[in-house]
Amino acid sequence: MATTDLAPADIARLAERAGLPLPPDRLPAVTATVNAVHDVLRTLDGLALGDTAPASAFDAG
């Protein structure tokens, strides 16, 4: 899944659309956090879990 990092303008637009107040001085920190979370999710997205049974199939007994 190829994605690019979000820019501060993207974050500001998303916050506005969601009705969330986001002062301009917080934009750099929020942008960095969102992009860090996306990086982690991209890593998880690349894991091959096709043969992994769901947790509900685990028998601890």
Side-chain angles (χ1 to χ4, degrees):
M1 175 171 143
T3 59
T4 58
D5 285 346
L6 294 170
D10 300 322
I11 298 297
R13 188 177 67 253
L14 290 169
E16 183 179 346
R17 288 189 68 177
L20 299 172
L22 184 59
D25 63 322
R26 297 276 301 143
L27 268 175
V30 173
T31 301
T33 301
V34 168
N35 286 325
V37 170
H38 278 169
D39 287 343
V40 171
L41 294 177
R42 279 185 224 136
T43 301
L44 294 176
D45 195 36
L47 296 176
L49 301 175
D51 295 332
T52 304
S56 61
F58 178 72
D59 181 14

